């Protein structure tokens, strides 16, 4: 059976969980506690030497790139297709996922982790933080954690991320003013890719994600939140995302589906 | 009718042309001169506001992002199939397509810019003001010159890429197994520049480069595989 080693149903970590629930594919979920830096510990590094979540293992293949892994899940398992048939629509889906993965999601991650994670390191012993940093395999990840632990992310970088996120919200709202889902008439991996990071925005970015400022994006967020598969995925984890997602559903008026 | 905007010296353009040749498809070609920054001319920016090549026009639609173009071509012209004939191979091909965009192409561009002493002629600098903010910012960083930390990080990224290629080529002829896929084609034009820039590659990767170079689809564009001091995709800003 397919196994997912990951943290919460959130961003890259959550993409396989959302995808598997939408397909109705059974799987085994191994919770990786990022708060306790388990993803940089020997147990997880034996599965993924890069120390990044998620890691998805199936038939001896270990997949650590979440977007290509979603395409794998869609190809390898039965269930509702999550990619449009038409090659041009597929191109749109993939370009949008690339934009999300390379531009929007890292910007949101920079903003969120500086707001929520960085303050937690204040007052910790710098020597101990350095030892934690040394365990991070990828140099680009290490650089990111170093900025968080020592609260040294340049202000202008955070401002640039804010600009990019606002720009993306406008862009997605405009796409969704013309079509039901992000890659056309049918729900696709592009919707999962964006929802995995955007599900909480009506709460955490209320100022630009609301019915006046981005009505089409809000219509789409409600439609995503109402999907039983996505709701079931959001209920996984240790409760941290589940509670936040339930609060968002209350705020935007989406009812609870029967627990899967 | 399809029309491909491409440039000699652009590795991403080369990948698209290799796929077209493998499929036996011949679009109308529009060649740009990136050595002289024709990609930043008002005429080309009117076609593609990103100021990048390649760009494929098909039936009035404009397609950018080279790996997404490769997949589009593979789905539009399925013979011979190049994404791989099972989900495992497709995953590996797509993983490499992604790695080219996030690691190889951005860092190769930085190493190349330094190695070739990149500069923008005064007459071409006006072109940078016409770019979208992210692209313009990247070019300005290049013009100011990359710092030693960035250059070291980019050089290390190239060594890591060589090691990862060697790992996937252990015991196989192509990156995803017994058949060439879009993964090989996406990586090849970038890896083919390593030698000219003094970047070492493991022996196994050199042997794979030689296998790729023998293919008629690669032979047909081999004059276009030279390195040019131009920026690639933006390096990752957050992990």
């Amino acid at each position: 059976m397919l196994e997912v080693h990951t943290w919460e149903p959130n961003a890259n970590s959550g993409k396989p969980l959302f995808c598997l629930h939408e397909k109705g594919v059974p799987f085994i979920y191994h919770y990786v506690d990022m708060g306790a830096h388990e993803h940089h510990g020997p147990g997880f590094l034996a599965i993924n030497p890069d120390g990044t979540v998620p890691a998805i293992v199936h038939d001896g293949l270990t997949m650590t790139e979440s977007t290509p892994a979603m395409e794998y899940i869609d190809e390898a398992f039965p269930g509702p297709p999550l990619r449009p048939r038409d090659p041009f629509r597929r191109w749109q889906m993939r370009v949008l996922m690339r934009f999300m993965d390379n531009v929007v999601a890292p910007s949101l991650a920079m903003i969120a982790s500086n707001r929520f994670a960085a303050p937690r390191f204040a007052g910790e012993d710098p020597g101990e933080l350095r030892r934690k940093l040394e365990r991070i395999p990828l140099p680009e990840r290490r650089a990111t954690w170093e900025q968080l632990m020592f609260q040294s992310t340049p202000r202008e970088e955070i401002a640039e991320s804010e600009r990019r996120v606002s720009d993306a919200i406008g862009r997605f709202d405009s796409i969704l003013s013309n079509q039901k889902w992000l890659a056309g008439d049918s729900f696709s991996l592009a919707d999962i890719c964006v929802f995995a990071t955007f599900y909480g925005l009506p709460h955490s970015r209320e100022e630009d994600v609301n019915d006046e400022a981005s009505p089409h994006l809000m219509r789409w967020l409600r439609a995503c939140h109402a999907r039983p598969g996505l709701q079931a995925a959001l209920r996984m984890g240790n409760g941290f995302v589940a509670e936040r997602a339930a609060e968002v559903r209350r705020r935007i008026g989406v009812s609870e589906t029967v627990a899967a | 009718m399809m029309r491909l905007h491409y440039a000699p010296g652009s590795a991403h353009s080369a990948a698209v042309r290799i796929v077209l040749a493998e499929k036996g498809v011949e679009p109308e070609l529009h060649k740009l001169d990136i050595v002289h920054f024709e990609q930043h001319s008002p005429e080309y920016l009117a076609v593609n506001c990103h100021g990048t090549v390649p760009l494929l026009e098909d039936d009035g639609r404009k397609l950018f992002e080279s790996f997404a173009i490769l997949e589009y071509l593979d789905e539009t012209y399925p013979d011979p199939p190049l994404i791989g004939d099972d989900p495992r191979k497709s995953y590996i091909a797509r993983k490499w397509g992604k790695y080219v965009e996030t690691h190889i192409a951005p860092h190769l561009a930085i190493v190349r810019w330094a190695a070739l002493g990149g500069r923008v002629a005064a007459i071409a600098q006006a072109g940078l003001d016409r770019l979208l903010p992210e692209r313009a910012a990247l070019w300005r960083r290049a013009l100011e010159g990359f710092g030693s930390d960035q250059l070291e990080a980019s050089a290390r990224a190239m060594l890591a890429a060589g090691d990862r290629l060697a790992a996937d080529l252990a015991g196989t002829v192509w990156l995803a197994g017994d058949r060439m896929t879009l993964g090989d084609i996406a990586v090849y034009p970038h890896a083919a520049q390593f030698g000219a820039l003094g970047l070492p590659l493991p022996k196994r990767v050199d042997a794979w480069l030689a296998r790729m170079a023998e293919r008629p689809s690669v032979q047909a564009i081999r004059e276009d595989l030279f390195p040019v001091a131009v920026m690639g995709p933006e390096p990752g800003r957050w992990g």
Side-chain angles (χ1 to χ4, degrees), chain A residues 29-40:
Chain A
Y29 177 24
H30 302 279
Y31 189 82
V32 180
D33 188 350
M34 280 178 74
H37 297 269
E38 257 178 31
H39 55 313
H40 302 144

Side-chain angles (χ1 to χ4, degrees), chain B residues 160-176:
Chain B
D163 290 344
R164 279 173 193 251
L165 287 167
D168 272 17
L169 289 166
T172 67
V173 180
W174 306 105
L175 286 171

Side-chain angles (χ1 to χ4, degrees), chain A residues 50 59 63-65 71-72 75 88 90-91 94 98 101 107 113 140-141 144 147 157 161 164, chain B residues 61 63-65 68 71-72 75 87-88 90-91 94 98 101 103 134 164 234 237-239:
Chain A
D50 286 342
D59 274 349
M63 295 176 275
T64 58
E65 281 296 339
E71 291 217 43
Y72 175 92
E75 271 172 26
F88 180 71
R90 280 201 183 192
W91 172 83
R94 291 184 178 123
R98 179 69 44 98
D101 290 350
S107 297
S113 54
E140 64 269 26
R141 298 287 317 151
T144 292
Q147 291 190 0
E157 283 294 314
S161 290
R164 291 182 185 207
Chain B
R61 291 156 157 176
L63 293 87
F64 51 92
E65 280 285 1
E71 291 228 53
Y72 174 81
E75 285 166 352
R88 165 187 298 257
S90 309
Y91 170 79
R94 291 188 178 114
K98 182 151 182 146
E101 291 317 299
H103 287 77
E134 296 93 331
R164 279 173 193 251
E234 181 186 51
R237 297 169 60 242
W238 193 249

Side-chain angles (χ1 to χ4, degrees), chain A residues 225 231 234-235 245-254 256:
Chain A
H225 268 292
Q231 272 199 24
L234 283 168
R235 289 195 190 95
E247 168 64 20
V248 173
R249 288 195 293 270
R250 267 194 298 280
R251 278 184 183 233
I252 64 177
V254 172
E256 301 292 309

